[in-house]
Amino acid sequence: MKISRLDLRKLRVPLGREIGDNNCRYDTFDVCTLAVQTDEGALGWGFGEKVYEGQFAKPVSWKLDMPGAAAMREVLVEKVEPVIVGGEVEQLLNEMPALPDVPDYIYNSLRMALWDLAGQAAGKPVYQLLGGTPEQNEIFTYSSPCGFPQPIEWLAPYFQQHVAEGFRAIKVKVGHDDIEWDINRLRTIREAVGPDIQISVDGNTAWDGPGALRWMERTEKEGIGLHYVEDPIWPDDLDGYRLLAKESPLPIVGHDYIPVAEDMRPLLDTGA
């Protein structure tokens, strides 16, 4: 299958409630919607999103103004179509051009649409193209509503419902200025979901290294039973990460504040 045509739209999607963490809150996404058509008439769809407006205390890679559809189509015509149109779907997936001047929401939309087309051509869902089988069609996952802005009276029933639906793990946004606020939420959620559910937390860079250790030591004393801590400190705090690697009582997960793989190198090279 060869790519014959690209078409782009922009949607502004209300989320229905405010979501966020200790650094941000927002209630709307901008969505780039890309349709990729082949010379055989197949149509693949892809999507890429960015947060629209909202409140942000710190810069993050996924908060980026998305221009209007007309401006994005200019990028499509000038930067994407000359490279993509006429290309074979399978070859593009195996050797995807870098497209360095193309925003990630357009690039990601294109990748998704190509996988959609590949799945259609093979008559299989994409997870099977990636090595899954009809018998192995589940993965372990967790539930997280990004519910830092919501009161505990909303959050605890949310997790209870998801546990009742089959989730065996949840993740809670933490990192309030008042540790008692975090402790109360975690204690209430643990009581709501029971002792057998994995509870992990996301600090969204709320602390420095010593502060993260103090926070974890306090929650350990409370007996809440946490599984891991995600993104406790800022990614360029190498001294802090070396401290956590040496002394943290809990596993540390991250770092999704780093959008480029090579930028992980300092953390790896310094043992952080």
Side-chain angles (χ1 to χ4, degrees):
M1 290 190 298
K2 291 185 177 182
I3 304 302
S4 62
R5 182 173 175 269
L6 308 179
D7 190 21
L8 182 147
R9 296 287 187 273
K10 179 183 177 181
L11 307 176
R12 183 155 289 166
V13 181
L15 302 176
R17 64 173 172 87
E18 198 171 46
I19 68 174
D21 57 40
N22 60 67
N23 292 314
C24 71
R25 51 183 62 200
Y26 49 91
D27 60 10
T28 309
F29 276 145
D30 276 345
V31 180
C32 167
T33 304
L34 186 64
V36 179
Q37 189 169 349
T38 72
D39 56 356
E40 299 176 10
L43 194 62
W45 291 90
F47 309 91
E49 76 281 344
K50 291 294 178 184
V51 173
Y52 173 67
E53 293 184 345
Q55 303 173 36
F56 285 78
K58 297 179 182 178
V60 291
S61 62
W62 39 272
K63 169 66 173 72
L64 182 68
D65 291 336
M66 186 181 290
M72 288 195 286
R73 289 192 189 102
E74 289 183 5
V75 174
L76 204 67
V77 170
E78 296 175 6
K79 307 289 187 180
V80 180
E81 288 184 350
V83 179
I84 299 301
V85 172
E88 294 278 355
V89 171
E90 184 175 354
Q91 182 178 358
L92 288 169
L93 281 172
N94 290 333
E95 302 175 12
M96 184 68 175
L99 302 178
D101 297 326
V102 175
D104 63 357
Y105 45 82
I106 296 179
Y107 185 86
N108 295 340
S109 301
L110 177 60
R111 290 280 298 178
M112 189 184 299
L114 291 173
W115 278 113
D116 185 8
L117 288 168
Q120 293 179 46
K124 297 179 180 179
V126 171
Y127 81 87
Q128 291 184 23
L129 296 184
L130 298 175
T133 67
E135 296 75 31
Q136 296 174 320
N137 61 358
E138 296 180 355
I139 61 170
F140 186 82
T141 187
Y142 62 77
S143 169
S144 178
C146 297
F148 195 88
Q150 272 67 43
I152 189 60
E153 292 79 12
W154 181 92
L155 199 58
Y158 174 94
F159 283 127
Q160 274 186 318
Q161 176 185 341
H162 281 226
V163 167
E165 292 171 354
F167 281 93
R168 308 307 299 165
I170 63 176
K171 188 175 78 173
V172 182
K173 295 286 189 178
V174 295
H176 197 278
D177 291 340
D178 180 3
I179 191 174
E180 298 303 323
W181 190 91
D182 283 346
I183 295 295
N184 178 61
R185 284 166 81 86
L186 291 171
R187 187 188 298 117
T188 303
I189 290 168
R190 172 57 78 193
E191 292 172 356
V193 302
D196 299 327
I197 300 301
Q198 289 184 7
I199 299 180
S200 299
V201 295
D202 189 347
N204 291 110
T205 71
W207 310 292
D208 58 13
L213 284 178
R214 289 192 297 270
W215 190 95
M216 286 186 276
E217 289 166 359
R218 173 65 194 284
T219 57
E220 289 284 282
K221 288 180 181 178
E222 291 290 331
I224 294 168
L226 298 181
H227 191 55
Y228 64 77
V229 178
E230 181 177 344
D231 294 340
I233 63 179
W234 203 246
D236 60 3
D237 184 358
L238 300 180
D239 289 338
Y241 267 109
R242 281 194 292 268
L243 175 67
L244 294 180
K246 181 180 179 181
E247 298 189 18
S248 172
L250 293 170
I252 304 298
V253 173
H255 209 295
D256 61 9
Y257 284 75
I258 298 179
V260 180
E262 185 58 30
D263 291 344
M264 291 291 293
R265 181 59 58 189
L267 288 164
L268 297 172
D269 287 347
T270 60

